[in-house]
Amino acid sequence: MSVVLRNAQRAVPVRRAPLRRAVCALRAALGASRFDVGLVCAGNALMQRLNGAYRHCPEPTDVLSFPFHQVAAGELPRPRCRDEYNLGDIFLGVEYIHQQCRETGETFDDVLTVTAAHGLCHLLGYRHDTKPEWEQMYQKEAQILEELNRLTGSRLRPLTAGLF
């Protein structure tokens, strides 16, 4: 199935092909390569509107995930027809991420990939509202990033290490 990537902002240049390849590999590491994923690279204004509308927090953020299915953490959806082979949509706040990277000195493309991994985990029911949920999600992120690292020779780690 496919990863559809749309760049809906102009503030930050995004290397779409490497990001799409990384998301395909991460999706495979999750055992979900049969499912479509929508990926939108968004600016601060769009992320602020979406974050306000869906999370009642009217400020830009790094990632918002909108699952097509409601599943327990780590479960794959059980589609009944072809149209349901969809994990959902991930909005990456690329302008926000870029600003954070400038402040921390981290590599933008790496952080974008790790943030997409985080968003994919949310599409599969992982959450981080409590410490046990965070530990489960962190473990899954580390696992799929390790698989991506093995395939690409990179050394990516989850960004949520200091959450709890």
Side-chain angles (χ1 to χ4, degrees):
M1 297 296 123
S2 67
V3 172
V4 176
L5 194 152
R6 178 172 175 250
N7 189 4
Q9 57 82 48
R10 294 179 193 258
V12 179
V14 176
R15 296 176 49 218
R16 290 185 280 191
L19 179 58
R20 182 181 289 112
R21 281 193 302 272
V23 170
C24 285
L26 291 164
R27 187 180 54 159
L30 285 163
S33 47
R34 296 183 331 230
F35 292 87
D36 295 330
V37 172
L39 199 61
V40 179
C41 295
N44 282 344
L46 177 55
M47 292 303 284
Q48 182 173 337
R49 280 195 310 274
L50 291 171
N51 206 17
Y54 292 98
R55 297 183 62 235
H56 310 292
C57 186
E59 57 191 47
T61 189
D62 57 351
V63 63
L64 293 168
S65 295
F66 298 95
F68 188 82
H69 302 273
Q70 297 300 319
V71 295
E75 285 187 11
L76 287 176
R78 296 187 178 155
R80 293 182 307 251
C81 64
R82 170 62 198 109
D83 290 344
E84 293 182 1
Y85 278 86
N86 185 352
L87 290 181
D89 297 315
I90 300 168
F91 284 74
L92 294 171
V94 295
E95 187 176 0
Y96 181 90
I97 293 167
H98 189 260
Q99 289 166 344
Q100 298 292 71
C101 288
R102 281 199 327 242
E103 293 171 12
T104 63
E106 295 176 274
T107 305
F108 173 71
D109 289 331
D110 290 350
V111 174
L112 199 59
T113 299
V114 171
T115 306
H118 186 83
L120 278 168
C121 286
H122 276 309
L123 294 182
L124 289 176
Y126 290 94
R127 302 179 55 88
H128 46 77
D129 298 327
T130 66
K131 187 172 182 177
E133 287 176 340
W134 172 81
E135 288 171 347
Q136 183 183 33
M137 185 166 182
Y138 183 86
Q139 200 169 39
K140 181 52 75 173
E141 284 182 47
Q143 176 191 341
I144 65 173
L145 288 169
E146 188 59 39
E147 176 64 16
L148 181 64
N149 291 340
R150 187 184 66 74
L151 293 171
T152 63
S154 44
R155 292 184 288 166
L156 303 177
R157 302 285 309 143
L159 297 174
T160 56
L163 194 58
F164 278 93

